[in-house]
Amino acid sequence: MTAADVLLLALGAIAVGAGWRVVITSHLVRAGLWLVVTLGAVAGAYLVLAAELVAWVQVLLYVGAVVVLLLFAVMLTRAPIGASSDLDRPGWTGLLVGGGAALGLGALLLDGYRWQKVDAPAVGSAQLLGGEVFRHWVLPFEVLSVLLLAALIGAIVVSRPAPGDDSGSR
């Protein structure tokens, strides 16, 4: 077992443990911060696997944008930040759904590959990747940017007090 294997196992354990904390915590803000730890560990695993571009995209998009957007949404909508009793649900339903999804995905993976060895793709370059992204994937990126802008504007509009309502000016 090499040092890379040990580091990958440690980062995987951190990601799974922090992911578990995201699910079981009743504090919404703490769940967001545990999500940062989870996504950071996944980015570290990408770095160990020598996928630097994917690791930095993980950090920039998920840790930098999605989690910040989640925390801003919590702050803008004035959601309860502390422990919330309506987040406590029976655990058996989630365990049943999660276990069923895991078994289904595992069976699909085993059926799809049938324990065959998959050849690694040819080594690419940043020029090939950029050409592929900007030739075939420009429209989905632009649609996603418009969707995120609309969600941000919607969050701002929803969080503003109604005209004539003095409850927001304290």
Side-chain angles (χ1 to χ4, degrees):
M1 187 176 265
T2 64
D5 293 337
V6 172
L7 189 58
L8 196 60
L9 284 173
L11 287 168
I14 291 170
V16 169
W20 178 252
R21 291 299 304 246
V22 170
V23 174
I24 64 168
T25 187
S26 61
H27 292 264
L28 192 57
V29 174
R30 288 183 186 168
L33 295 175
W34 279 114
L35 186 60
V36 169
V37 174
T38 304
L39 296 173
V42 171
Y46 286 139
L47 281 175
V48 171
L49 294 172
E52 292 88 4
L53 177 68
V54 179
W56 291 118
V57 167
Q58 171 87 11
V59 169
L60 289 174
L61 287 181
Y62 288 108
V63 176
V66 172
V67 174
V68 170
L69 184 64
L70 170 82
L71 294 176
F72 272 121
V74 167
M75 290 187 291
L76 286 174
T77 58
R78 297 185 186 99
I81 292 177
S84 180
S85 61
D86 62 335
L87 292 177
D88 296 334
R89 303 271 190 252
W92 66 270
T93 55
L95 188 62
L96 183 68
V97 170
L103 286 175
L105 288 173
L108 183 66
L109 181 72
L110 291 176
D111 183 55
Y113 287 106
R114 297 188 191 276
W115 298 104
Q116 296 175 359
K117 185 175 181 180
V118 178
D119 295 331
V123 177
S125 67
Q127 183 179 8
L128 290 173
L129 178 66
E132 189 68 26
V133 166
F134 290 114
R135 187 175 306 120
H136 300 292
W137 294 97
V138 171
L139 184 62
F141 278 132
E142 292 300 323
V143 169
L144 183 63
S145 67
V146 170
L147 178 69
L148 287 174
L149 178 65
L152 183 62
I153 292 171
I156 291 170
V157 168
V158 166
S159 68
R160 292 182 61 191
D165 185 16
D166 290 335
S167 64
S169 59
R170 291 184 184 184

